[in-house]
Structures are given as C-alpha cells and as structure tokens.
Amino acid sequence: MARHSKLQKQVLSLYRNFLRAGKDKPGFLPRIRAEFRKNAQIPRTDVMYIEYLVRRGQRQLEQLRDVHTKQMGAFVKTKWEDR
C-alpha cells in the first residue's frame, strides 16, 4: 500500500470534512463530490495550485459549517455574446 504525501493527506482530510459538514444540508453533497472529482484531474506536480485550492477549500469549509449557510453560490464563466 502506497503512503500518501502530506499534501495528499490534507486534501483527503479536507474532503472528509466537507462531506461531514455537507451531510445535514440538502443538495451540498453532489456539488462537493463534483468539485473534488473535477480537481482530481490536476497533475500532482502542480503543487502550488493544489496548495492554493486547499487553502481556498478551508475557507469555504468554514463558511459551510456556519449554521446560517443555506445554499452555495458559484461564479460561472460564460461566453460574451454580441448583440
């Protein structure tokens, strides 16, 4: 069995914490899983970007744990349409 690096352990811990925090809030678990699956495609060698995402995820986790959080928002990239 392969051993995980410190960064991999941080990511796995963050994932577990997100799942625990989102289980009581409807609609959060599919979004959490999708986001982690999307970011699983990032190469392991891109350490700086992964560390950035871990820090960002920790801030988002704190917001999710807030009892007043009811829904998640997201910025979506759209194509500029000329009219």
Side-chain angles (χ1 to χ4, degrees):
M1 184 170 172
R3 297 179 69 155
H4 294 296
S5 70
K6 182 179 177 184
L7 187 57
Q8 287 173 321
K9 288 179 183 180
Q10 286 177 333
V11 171
L12 292 172
S13 174
L14 185 64
Y15 182 64
R16 284 191 305 270
N17 288 332
F18 260 105
L19 292 178
R20 287 183 191 124
K23 71 178 179 181
D24 297 330
K25 300 187 180 194
F28 279 65
L29 291 181
R31 174 81 185 273
I32 291 167
R33 288 186 180 112
E35 190 71 21
F36 273 85
R37 282 195 182 106
K38 180 185 81 170
N39 289 328
Q41 305 303 318
I42 298 170
R44 293 181 183 186
T45 56
D46 199 352
V47 176
M48 296 295 287
Y49 185 58
I50 296 170
E51 287 176 345
Y52 160 75
L53 289 174
V54 167
R55 288 190 307 272
R56 188 176 120 199
Q58 289 168 342
R59 289 190 302 270
Q60 290 175 336
L61 179 60
E62 290 305 314
Q63 290 177 342
L64 180 61
R65 286 180 174 160
D66 184 8
V67 295
H68 301 295
T69 301
K70 303 284 188 245
Q71 63 187 32
M72 293 173 62
F75 293 104
V76 179
K77 293 181 183 178
T78 59
K79 292 182 180 180
W80 179 259
E81 296 180 13
D82 292 326
R83 291 184 184 205

